[in-house]
Amino acid sequence: MVIKGARRVALFLVVCAATRAASAGDGPLPNGNFEDSPDRSQMDGSTVTGPDAIPQWKTYGHVEHIASGQKQGDMILTVPEGSYALRLGDDASIQQQLSVTPGTIYSVTFRSARTCAQNEKLSAWVVPGGAPDEVHVQTLYTSIGWDSYCWAFQAQASSVTLVIHNPFHEDDKSCGPMIDSVAIKTLYGAPQGNNNLLRNGDFEEGPYIAPGSQYGVLVPHRDERDISPLSGWMVLSYPNSKVVRYVRTPQGSYAVELVAGGEAALVQEVDTVPGSSCRLDFTVGDAGDNCVAKDQQPMRVQASTADNSTTVEYSSEGSGGSVRASLEFKPSQSRTRVVFCSTGYHSKSDSSGTRCGPIIDDASLVCASPTPAARRLLR
Ligand SMILES: *[C@@H]1O[C@H](CO)[C@@H](O)[C@H](O)[C@H]1NC(C)=O
């Protein structure tokens, strides 16, 4: 037993040393699950008292190392992965140094659950880099109380510090969102194909989804000023706390689930030739996650541009079916916005109340140049 234990320790050290030296690859960050034992000399019970207590991280403010099953008042705190998570209390933040490639875009995925307040926030940024971006932590999209969220940044140096911060001043210092499973993924930008004007129309390039995750990753509001964790696409929402969900389909590829009805749209803007003939083809389906169209009310997805729109009905049985649909239009502008949104609200048929919706996949936009006659008319 002793030998086995010693070997395990040795292996652990080798793995640690390897991850420390490696640059940010795709997957969990070193101790991104907070499973490594904290330095007890910098801990008071579950409360962190020194900045280096949590291996691989620096922490500031009121941070707690939460064990699954720990109680807070009447509430039992659960942890989605492994046995530990962190709670970021009043003005707390955690930081980790990342080795990255300047100019490259990275998406960061983390799990979070709120504890006391109805609506909590986390903000994320890198140094050097831009201003903090806020992510709203709600509990609407899974039954387990934890959701995965993502965020993206473009590296401006070969070493950056990732910061995740609770911007709220909590009345109760120990209140604040819990965080777990921090992971990273390199995005290569998904350039336009030969014919398809849309970038990443098959949604194969997006944030990291943990193997075996049944819920995917929520993508918050991201407009043209933001770096998108879903290459090529914006998520426009009103209010801006609404999201779409990036999911793995039963077929093993990726798609986007419209979980917020008409409050969040998936949008991409492309260059178009006025007067050309364009055709948008796309798939509407379900993620095979028991999101069933109830009471004879099919799911409805609206695909629109400034020049035409269509509403696709889909009667989901929640088992991963799909239909193919299309929209034809003649662009009147040199820039065209392609917009997908769901017009209804749906929840899973398992009575968990988990929000869900139709998925969009394999979108392509192909345009044929205007004929000489059409060109003359446009002049
Ligand atoms: C609008 O799209 C529909 C569906 O593709 C198509 O049948 C119709 O001709 C289009 N209308 C215009 C004006 O392009």
Side-chain angles (χ1 to χ4, degrees):
M1 286 314 273
V2 173
I3 291 172
K4 206 170 165 192
R7 196 183 295 150
R8 197 178 296 147
V9 168
L11 191 64
F12 173 68
L13 290 176
V14 168
V15 171
C16 269
T19 50
R20 204 183 287 261
S23 59
D26 294 350
L29 289 184
N31 198 26
N33 309 333
F34 310 109
E35 296 298 306
D36 295 356
S37 300
D39 175 353
R40 284 280 144 215
S41 72
Q42 298 186 47
M43 297 286 293
D44 177 9
S46 63
T47 304
V48 172
T49 56
D52 300 308
I54 308 295
Q56 311 286 351
W57 296 90
K58 284 217 181 290
T59 64
Y60 301 95
H62 190 97
V63 174
E64 275 183 85
H65 191 242
I66 302 283
S68 190
Q70 193 170 318
K71 275 194 166 173
Q72 173 174 351
D74 297 337
M75 190 168 155
I76 294 178
L77 304 175
T78 60
V79 170
E81 187 180 349
S83 311
Y84 297 97
L86 289 191
R87 180 176 23 208
L88 304 188
D90 185 47
D91 202 25
S93 65
I94 56 171
Q95 305 188 355
Q96 184 169 135
Q97 195 109 4
L98 310 175
S99 293
V100 289
T101 306
T104 300
I105 292 175
Y106 295 88
S107 60
V108 174
T109 299
F110 56 86
R111 281 178 163 145
S112 187
R114 58 190 179 78
T115 53
C116 310
Q118 282 301 315
N119 194 352
E120 288 173 331
K121 283 180 193 170
L122 283 171
S123 49
W125 67 95
V126 287
V127 182
D133 281 319
E134 280 183 351
V135 173
H136 296 254
V137 179
Q138 297 165 329
T139 312
L140 282 174
Y141 300 101
T142 68
S143 48
I144 53 169
W146 287 78
D147 277 308
S148 287
Y149 299 87
C150 64
W151 171 77
F153 67 91
Q154 184 164 29
Q156 294 181 11
S158 57
S159 176
V160 299
T161 303
L162 168 69
V163 185
I164 301 175
H165 173 235
N166 172 9
F168 268 143
H169 286 282
E170 308 279 355
D171 291 337
D172 175 352
K173 269 199 172 323
S174 67
C175 276
M178 292 191 287
I179 183 165
D180 202 3
S181 315
V182 188
I184 195 165
K185 189 163 160 225
T186 311
L187 301 180
Y188 297 98
Q192 259 175 7
N194 280 342
N195 265 320
N196 189 353
L197 294 181
L198 294 174
R199 282 170 55 206
N200 200 22
D202 57 5
F203 303 104
E204 290 311 291
E205 191 172 273
Y208 178 78
I209 299 183
S213 159
Q214 1 163 9
Y215 294 107
V217 177
L218 301 178
V219 187
H221 180 95
R222 292 286 88 178
D223 63 28
E224 53 267 24
R225 294 165 302 181
D226 301 313
I227 305 282
S228 177
L230 185 58
S231 297
W233 295 92
M234 297 183 269
V235 175
L236 301 186
S237 75
Y238 188 84
N240 69 2
S241 56
K242 300 298 172 180
V243 295
V244 301
R245 177 158 50 203
Y246 188 58
V247 294
R248 199 182 284 116
T249 65
Q251 294 75 35
S253 62
Y254 296 92
V256 172
E257 185 174 359
L258 301 169
V259 291
E263 292 174 299
L266 190 59
V267 178
Q268 188 167 148
E269 215 172 270
V270 296
D271 286 328
T272 46
V273 178
S276 59
S277 298
C278 295
R279 185 184 157 109
L280 174 69
D281 284 284
F282 56 99
T283 296
V284 172
D286 68 273
D289 55 358
N290 288 317
C291 193
V292 178
K294 283 199 207 82
D295 308 325
Q296 267 73 49
Q297 282 293 314
M299 293 177 173
R300 289 192 178 85
V301 168
Q302 192 178 61
S304 55
T305 67
D307 303 293
N308 198 3
S309 73
T310 185
T311 300
V312 181
E313 293 197 348
Y314 171 66
S315 293
S316 173
E317 290 172 9
S319 53
S322 66
V323 294
R324 205 61 190 147
S326 67
L327 171 68
E328 287 169 20
F329 63 97
K330 286 193 192 310
S332 52
Q333 307 291 326
S334 58
R335 290 284 283 170
T336 294
R337 259 188 181 194
V338 174
V339 180
F340 292 108
C341 73
S342 162
T343 61
Y345 294 93
H346 306 278
S347 47
K348 292 194 183 181
S349 59
D350 57 8
S351 74
S352 64
T354 301
R355 287 272 177 86
C356 64
I359 63 165
I360 295 288
D361 203 357
D362 294 324
S364 78
L365 175 60
V366 176
C367 296
S369 309
T371 60
R375 217 169 282 177
R376 271 196 299 279
L377 272 176
L378 280 168
R379 257 189 235 125

